[in-house]
Amino acid sequence: MGSKPQSNKEASMWPKGFGVKLETITPFLGKYRPFVGRCCQTCTPKSWEALFHKNIAALGFHNVILVTEENTRYRGWLVRRLCYFLCAMDWKITLTPDAWEKVLGSKWIQEILSGRAPGGAGEGPKPSSLRRDVQHTLGQIQASIYPFLLRIFNWAFLKFLNCIFLNVQLHQGQLAMVRQAAQAKDTPLIFLSAHKSCLDGLLLPFLLLSQGLGVLRVAWEPQSYSPALRALLRHLGGLFMPPEANLFLDNPKGILSRAVLSAAVEQLLASKQPLLIFLEDRPGAVGPRLSSHGQAWLGLVLQAFREGAIPDAALVPVGIGYDLAPDVQHTGPRASSSHLGLWWGALAVFRGLRGHRGCARIDFAQPFSLQEYSVNTWSRGRSRGQSLEQLLLQTVLGHCVFPSSQTPLGLYCRSVLPDCEKQQEWTPASGPLLALDEEDQLLVSRLSRHVLSASIACSAVMATAVMAALLLHRHREGVFLSRLLENFSWLTEETLLRGFDVGFSGQLQDLVMHGLCLLHGSLSLWLLPQGDVLVLPRAGPTLAQLAYHSAALLPVFLCEAVGACAVRALLAGRVPPEGPWELQGVELLSQRELHRQTLLLLHLLPQDLLLLQPCQSSYFYCQEVLDRLIQCGLLIAEEAPGTRLTCDSGNWRFGEKMLWRSMEDFSDSDSDYEDGTDSRCFKRQVTHSNCTSSC
């Protein structure tokens, strides 16, 4: 069988399907598209009903970078050539020029100038020197916005987006909810976004400005950008936290910086200017997924609400999806640790113009009230949780029982199931968060994980993610194009059925070709004489690119991944290491053991990786994991040995556990009947491939 390596001539045949006749497969797309982004009904029931109606889900998508003469007030052949510029000149820009006077007259600054606050004028510098320090610190946070510069930049950015993207899709129903929330009196919009690219901080302000929602103020991370780029971003509406704000609580410079920062945020929110905060850390960063810098800005918003500067705030989780982000480095975290400057921006533009054009998708989740969330969170209980070390100490080391003459040897050390319903502690890592009260710190922690889970859940899965996951995890040794079409349709169905949306639509063959074109650097294609095409992932560093793109599917199958790891851990503990894996399929796994192993994994894995909402019970999550394992066919329900048959007509004695519960118990959960539920047993599929692919 002959083969032919990929060449330029073959690459030009991609849009035509390689010249191969393939059987048409009817895709699942269009039959069911979930409307993602509904807020939590447990924490914010009033917001869940306020901004949503049944017609919103039926509204279609809109390409925000498609600008024609219909988007301007003029008509004619010259307008068709200058429609980008004319549209940018018509965008409404509303600014507040008296920011300095309002910040200087705030309560935080007046306490320092009068000497009532620690580090104030009564303890050191003169009021005139403090005024200069306040003005200098305010200049580090923000700068004056020039409307003409903002219009010119967004006009050039619009042309750049049309060069690197085929389209940037936005759901009209989600935009309608944001518009309705923006009409509330004295309630600013706080956009809490996932972070997939450095382009996010420019794309979202452009999107809101083009849709008539005002100038979006972006909270950038100062350590990631050079001084020249920070100066440009400030004049475009960017906000930067001064470095002195992270100093110790008793440091005079730290006190002054935090006071100016709090006053600036209060002034910004009181003027109803929308604010964008990235709760997810920058791409390629080493460490937790939840950004400490984003949590610090969220803490400042909560502080402004507590101080009465704003009566309420509308929190809007934002999900972002790219086929290919032009600036993301796949070589490792070393690239993300360097400062990004103007030359880096010019290089990213040049690379974006040379590469293949992909698609982008922006999703706005349903806005919810900060006041309602804070009230409902504390009404369910204010008990502080235990630290992660306290929760896992007895489980890791074992609950030791002092031996005695009557104690069997096997009970000297027995494991104890941790109390998984206790909230894990979170230690703030920045000065603005350390300055908050203990209860507010815990509220910021819970709200951050809640919003991050909502942002990831409403982020669309792109075609490159589906293609990369198939080639990396299922077809590492290669796959024929005809089979790849079937698997692409299958994985898309599984994604949609789990409540996640995809950022693509159209004919199945075109979608597969589009994904192969975008991932051509990580693939090699072989045209076979039989009339099919062999797709092979390239070995080496290019596999990191496939791993990066396929990570977008992790939240979709997170329950199955946790459950498969729990099953594998139970089976590994029962069979000796030299024993064959086939023997493990005959073992019965009880529901109690599966719940216990899943709970241990929930405590060992980071909370921001699990995307477990604080209002969600861990026991409910364990049952959901078990249901997913049964649904995907990894586990099969079996009757436990020694149990009665279902149709056994023998004499039964009705005990107290079989009677109905008292009328005061309104719980619908059956978890109280441990003898009925925990005694259930399950059997794993015997095949080796099932265990390998699932675990």
Side-chain angles (χ1 to χ4, degrees):
M1 179 177 63
S3 61
K4 183 179 180 180
Q6 179 185 352
S7 62
N8 295 333
K9 182 179 179 180
E10 293 174 359
S12 63
M13 296 173 59
W14 283 18
K16 301 179 182 179
F18 304 94
V20 179
K21 294 184 179 180
L22 299 173
E23 182 181 358
T24 303
I25 302 174
T26 303
F28 186 80
L29 304 180
K31 296 181 180 180
Y32 173 73
R33 295 294 294 270
F35 182 79
V36 296
R38 296 298 302 272
C39 64
C40 181
Q41 193 174 9
T42 303
C43 301
T44 54
K46 295 181 179 178
S47 300
W48 189 82
E49 299 177 353
L51 300 176
F52 181 82
H53 56 84
K54 59 182 181 180
N55 296 329
I56 282 183
L59 297 177
F61 289 90
H62 170 59
N63 184 11
V64 296
I65 63 175
L66 180 61
V67 177
T68 62
E69 62 176 341
E70 301 294 333
N71 302 102
T72 65
R73 297 178 295 173
Y74 311 99
R75 297 294 182 269
W77 66 271
L78 184 60
V79 175
R80 288 192 292 270
R81 287 157 177 79
L82 301 176
C83 56
Y84 287 1
F85 180 79
L86 295 177
C87 186
M89 293 298 111
D90 288 341
W91 290 339
K92 182 179 179 181
I93 298 178
T94 304
L95 304 175
T96 54
D98 55 345
W100 160 247
E101 289 78 7
K102 292 183 178 179
V103 170
L104 190 62
S106 65
K107 180 193 70 172
W108 305 96
I109 306 302
Q110 291 301 318
E111 288 181 355
I112 292 181
L113 293 178
S114 61
R116 294 193 300 269
E123 300 182 6
K126 298 181 180 180
S128 58
S129 177
L130 284 175
R131 287 176 179 269
R132 290 193 299 268
D133 294 339
V134 170
Q135 190 172 7
H136 173 72
T137 305
L138 185 61
Q140 291 180 319
I141 299 173
Q142 62 183 7
S144 301
I145 300 178
Y146 301 137
F148 183 74
L149 175 63
L150 189 61
R151 296 182 190 276
I152 293 297
F153 178 83
N154 282 277
W155 164 71
F157 189 67
L158 176 60
K159 296 181 71 66
F160 172 69
L161 291 178
N162 278 274
C163 294
I164 64 173
F165 291 122
L166 294 173
N167 53 66
V168 179
Q169 297 292 334
L170 176 65
H171 197 279
Q172 294 282 20
Q174 297 174 352
L175 183 61
M177 293 190 299
V178 175
R179 291 183 187 275
Q180 187 176 354
Q183 296 175 359
K185 184 179 180 181
D186 300 332
T187 302
L189 292 176
I190 311 297
F191 294 90
L192 305 172
S193 174
H195 203 6
K196 302 299 178 60
S197 164
C198 293
L199 195 67
D200 302 340
L202 301 176
L203 178 59
L204 291 175
F206 162 79
L207 190 147
L208 294 181
L209 183 62
S210 63
Q211 301 301 317
L213 293 175
V215 180
L216 181 63
R217 311 302 296 269
V218 183
W220 296 91
E221 189 172 356
Q223 291 81 9
S224 302
Y225 304 97
S226 64
L229 187 56
R230 288 201 300 265
L232 175 62
L233 293 176
R234 287 193 192 98
H235 290 293
L236 296 176
L239 301 173
F240 290 90
M241 187 175 295
E244 294 82 4
N246 293 317
L247 297 177
F248 294 105
L249 297 181
D250 56 350
N251 189 290
K253 293 184 179 180
I255 295 174
L256 177 63
S257 297
R258 287 188 290 270
V260 177
L261 184 61
S262 300
V265 172
E266 289 184 1
Q267 180 271 332
L268 183 145
L269 297 179
S271 59
K272 289 197 62 177
Q273 299 185 51
L275 175 64
L276 172 62
I277 301 174
F278 293 107
L279 285 180
E280 190 178 14
D281 211 343
R282 64 187 185 277
V286 180
R289 187 175 192 174
L290 198 60
S291 171
S292 60
H293 180 264
Q295 289 176 311
W297 282 98
L298 184 58
L300 293 171
V301 174
L302 179 62
Q303 186 182 43
F305 167 71
R306 296 291 194 194
E307 295 294 334
I310 52 174
D312 196 4
L315 306 182
V316 186
V318 182
I320 304 176
Y322 296 105
D323 274 333
L324 286 179
D327 68 310
V328 174
Q329 302 290 335
H330 309 293
T331 56
R334 184 180 303 175
S336 64
S337 60
S338 59
H339 288 283
L340 307 181
L342 294 177
W343 286 109
W344 170 88
L347 182 60
V349 170
F350 179 72
R351 289 178 177 176
L353 295 177
R354 291 184 59 187
H356 293 276
R357 294 200 301 169
C359 302
R361 167 83 174 268
I362 308 296
D363 288 278
F364 293 128
Q366 185 178 7
F368 63 93
S369 170
L370 174 62
Q371 180 185 16
E372 183 184 9
Y373 180 85
S374 60
V375 171
N376 292 338
T377 299
W378 294 119
S379 64
R380 290 194 300 267
R382 300 191 179 186
S383 60
R384 285 191 64 88
Q386 297 180 350
S387 64
L388 183 60
E389 291 78 6
Q390 294 173 345
L391 288 171
L392 294 178
L393 183 60
Q394 291 184 343
T395 303
V396 174
L397 300 179
H399 181 70
C400 294
V401 181
F402 291 99
S404 62
S405 58
Q406 291 81 16
T407 305
L409 183 61
L411 294 182
Y412 281 168
C413 191
R414 58 184 178 87
S415 355
V416 175
L417 189 65
D419 187 1
C420 63
E421 295 303 328
K422 291 184 178 180
Q423 178 69 33
Q424 294 184 14
E425 286 292 344
W426 161 77
T427 304
S430 58
L433 287 174
L434 292 173
L436 296 178
D437 297 336
E438 191 177 6
E439 292 184 352
D440 290 342
Q441 292 179 9
L442 184 59
L443 180 59
V444 170
S445 172
R446 294 178 178 178
L447 180 58
S448 301
R449 290 192 289 114
H450 202 293
V451 175
L452 179 62
S453 176
S455 300
I456 300 299
C458 72
S459 298
V461 178
M462 308 304 291
T464 51
V466 177
M467 185 65 63
L470 290 174
L471 296 175
L472 182 65
H473 300 292
R474 189 159 188 170
H475 303 295
R476 180 72 67 89
E477 302 299 329
V479 60
F480 292 109
L481 184 60
S482 56
R483 187 180 178 187
L484 188 60
L485 289 169
E486 299 177 0
N487 291 337
F488 190 92
S489 178
W490 163 78
L491 189 54
T492 302
E493 288 185 22
E494 295 294 330
T495 302
L496 294 174
L497 289 175
R498 282 164 173 79
F500 287 80
D501 199 6
V502 293
F504 52 87
S505 62
Q507 294 295 327
L508 181 60
Q509 183 175 347
D510 296 335
L511 295 174
V512 173
M513 296 302 173
H514 173 71
L516 292 177
C517 287
L518 295 177
L519 298 176
H520 71 282
S522 304
L523 308 175
S524 60
L525 306 176
W526 297 75
L527 185 60
L528 305 180
Q530 288 79 5
D532 208 340
V533 176
L534 180 63
V535 182
L536 286 173
R538 294 181 179 177
T542 55
L543 290 178
Q545 299 183 11
L546 298 179
Y548 172 81
H549 291 293
S550 63
L553 279 172
L554 178 60
V556 181
F557 299 96
L558 194 56
C559 289
E560 288 86 345
V562 173
C565 291
V567 172
R568 191 177 184 90
L570 289 176
L571 295 179
R574 291 188 177 186
V575 177
E578 63 276 4
W581 276 97
E582 286 75 7
L583 296 178
Q584 302 179 18
V586 300
E587 294 279 347
L588 291 181
L589 305 176
S590 66
Q591 180 171 336
R592 184 189 298 272
E593 292 176 331
L594 291 171
H595 278 190
R596 172 187 172 79
Q597 199 67 33
T598 305
L599 290 176
L600 295 179
L601 287 175
L602 293 184
H603 287 292
L604 288 173
L605 296 175
Q607 294 296 310
D608 51 0
L609 174 64
L610 291 170
L611 301 176
L612 184 62
Q613 296 183 355
C615 60
Q616 184 179 2
S617 170
S618 298
Y619 290 104
F620 174 79
Y621 185 82
C622 292
Q623 188 60 42
E624 183 181 359
V625 168
L626 185 57
D627 294 340
R628 291 285 186 89
L629 294 180
I630 298 174
Q631 181 182 2
C632 69
L634 184 63
L635 294 179
I636 301 176
E638 293 283 341
E639 292 190 4
T643 57
R644 289 178 177 266
L645 300 177
T646 305
C647 299
D648 190 2
S649 58
N651 294 329
W652 282 81
R653 179 182 179 90
F654 290 94
E656 295 181 358
K657 294 185 178 181
M658 298 297 295
L659 299 178
W660 291 100
R661 285 170 286 183
S662 60
M663 295 300 295
E664 289 78 13
D665 189 2
F666 296 97
S667 176
D668 294 332
S669 175
D670 295 333
S671 60
D672 296 336
Y673 299 97
E674 297 182 357
D675 294 343
T677 57
D678 288 349
S679 60
R680 297 173 58 193
C681 294
F682 302 91
K683 183 179 180 180
R684 191 189 65 87
Q685 293 285 357
V686 182
T687 58
H688 173 74
S689 60
N690 190 7
C691 179
T692 304
S693 60
S694 301
C695 299

